């Protein structure tokens, strides 16, 4: 790429610096960075100062530079999501009994759930799910399952950060629209072990979900199975809830969760 086409040279230099620091046997000094990358010392000092300020680099006692903890946070988040998705699909392998359902995996981000994995069924749902899609958590079975998976303190903190005044308008007449209703729903989910979306996201569509826990016992995701309302008569509510709970437990175990196990057969 020519210089005239490169509109973000500072970013490219920062990435080169990170690559060099990572590859170095010992933390390089600012002079080492300037010499090895053939950059002006003033440019290098400015970049290094900002990268330290942002947590991308750290300076040791010898004035050398090493990778910062912010990069570790990013890497950990990417690894967590990748491992979660990998284990989700691993659990679904050879599960022909689930072909009638659309199976989704979501994570909670603020007041929304974001869909990070999906296996669609051949059945026409009347609504589509795709990776990257976001929906208000309180209307989704997976979102409510994750809220129910929090301890009381964490749930109260979530409510404080997401007051009812900021909630989205219900997507259907069945949508939760008050804290009282949500609190009652969370209590019911905790009692029975799974959440139910009774046409709150889309009329004619039901979803049953449970929370996925990591090795520490924290609820990190929700797994849901969706089917049209016209197919409900083939199952009982408990059967569908137990299928979702069983899937969530299987993924949790693969993530290292060793808490109480239940028989969902």
């Amino acid at each position: 790429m020519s210089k005239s086409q490169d509109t973000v040279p500072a970013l490219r230099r920062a990435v080169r610096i990170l690559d060099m620091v990572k590859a170095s046997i010992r933390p390089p000094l600012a002079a080492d960075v300037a010499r090895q990358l053939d950059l002006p010392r003033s440019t290098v000092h400015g970049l290094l100062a900002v990268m330290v300020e942002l947590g991308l680099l750290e300076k040791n006692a010898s004035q050398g530079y090493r990778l910062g903890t912010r990069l570790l946070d990013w890497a950990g988040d990417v690894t967590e999501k990748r491992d979660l998705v990998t284990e989700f699909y691993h659990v679904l392998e050879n599960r022909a009994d689930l072909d009638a359902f659309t199976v989704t995996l979501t994570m909670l981000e603020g007041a929304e759930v974001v869909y990070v994995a999906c296996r669609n069924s051949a059945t026409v749902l009347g609504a589509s799910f795709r990776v990257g899609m976001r929906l208000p958590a309180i209307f989704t079975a997976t979102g409510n399952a994750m809220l129910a998976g929090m301890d009381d303190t964490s749930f109260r903190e979530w409510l404080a950060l997401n007051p009812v005044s900021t909630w989205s308008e219900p997507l259907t007449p069945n949508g939760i629209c008050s804290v009282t209703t949500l609190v009652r729903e969370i209590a019911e989910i905790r009692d029975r072990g799974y959440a139910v979306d009774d046409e709150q996201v889309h009329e004619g569509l039901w979803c049953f979900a449970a929370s996925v826990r990591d090795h520490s016992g924290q609820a990190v995701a929700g797994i849901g199975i969706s089917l049209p309302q016209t197919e409900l008569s083939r199952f009982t509510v408990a059967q569908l809830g137990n299928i979702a709970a069983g899937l969530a437990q299987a993924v949790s175990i693969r993530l290292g969760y060793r808490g109480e196990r239940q028989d969902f057969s």
Side-chain angles (χ1 to χ4, degrees):
M1 179 180 291
S2 67
K3 288 186 177 180
S4 61
Q5 294 174 307
D6 192 351
T7 58
V8 284
L11 177 59
R12 295 182 184 280
R13 289 168 179 166
V15 172
R16 289 177 65 199
I17 290 172
L18 291 173
D19 286 340
M20 178 197 159
V21 171
K22 178 180 180 296
S24 298
I25 297 175
R26 59 181 58 86
L29 303 174
D32 299 325
V33 175
R35 182 178 64 258
Q36 292 187 39
L37 298 183
D38 192 24
L39 294 172
R41 288 199 175 192
S42 59
T43 298
V44 168
H45 280 287
L47 283 171
L48 292 175
V50 173
M51 293 169 76
V52 168
E53 176 188 343
L54 296 177
L56 302 178
L57 290 175
E58 294 177 348
K59 187 186 289 188
N60 65 14
S62 301
Q63 302 303 303
Y65 292 88
R66 61 191 177 201
L67 297 181
T69 56
R70 190 167 193 173
L71 295 173
L72 297 176
D73 292 339
W74 289 348
D77 187 57
V78 171
T79 300
E80 176 186 330
K81 289 182 179 178
R82 183 175 62 240
D83 289 348
L84 181 61
V85 171
T86 298
E87 300 304 346
F88 168 78
Y89 284 117
H90 180 90
V91 167
L92 291 184
E93 286 178 355
N94 304 315
R95 288 292 303 270
D97 59 307
L98 298 176
D99 289 349
F101 311 110
T102 288
V103 189
T104 54
L105 179 72
T106 72
M107 299 184 74
L108 187 65
E109 292 190 1
E112 297 180 317
V113 294
V114 56
Y115 288 74
V116 296
C118 177
R119 193 180 80 174
N120 289 297
S121 70
T123 306
V124 177
L125 293 179
S128 60
F129 295 95
R130 64 185 183 280
V131 173
M133 183 174 74
R134 292 173 177 270
L135 287 172
I138 59 172
F139 304 144
T140 66
T142 54
N144 283 331
M146 282 183 276
L147 293 177
M150 296 177 177
D151 58 38
D152 290 340
T153 300
S154 297
F155 180 55
R156 284 194 296 269
E157 290 174 350
W158 184 89
L159 283 174
L161 291 171
N162 301 280
V164 67
S165 60
T166 66
W167 291 6
S168 300
E169 289 294 319
L171 303 176
T172 75
N174 294 343
I176 291 174
C177 57
S178 73
V179 172
T180 300
T181 304
L182 178 61
V183 169
R184 183 172 63 246
E185 181 69 17
I186 294 304
E188 292 176 358
I189 294 168
R190 289 173 174 174
D191 183 57
R192 67 182 174 231
Y194 56 86
V196 181
D197 162 16
D198 52 351
E199 303 182 64
Q200 293 191 53
V201 168
H202 194 281
E203 291 187 24
L205 179 67
W206 285 61
C207 181
F208 299 78
S211 61
V212 174
R213 297 184 181 276
D214 64 10
H215 67 281
S216 69
Q218 180 181 357
V220 295
I223 283 183
I225 60 169
S226 300
L227 73 165
Q229 189 273 337
T230 54
E231 297 292 314
L232 277 178
S233 61
R234 297 172 50 200
F235 312 90
T236 67
V237 168
Q239 284 176 325
L240 293 166
N242 285 339
I243 291 172
L247 285 173
Q249 178 172 267
V251 174
S252 298
I253 290 171
R254 294 192 62 83
L255 292 177
Y257 179 61
R258 296 295 181 265
E260 181 181 355
R261 300 189 188 187
Q262 300 182 40
D263 182 5
F264 297 107
S265 59

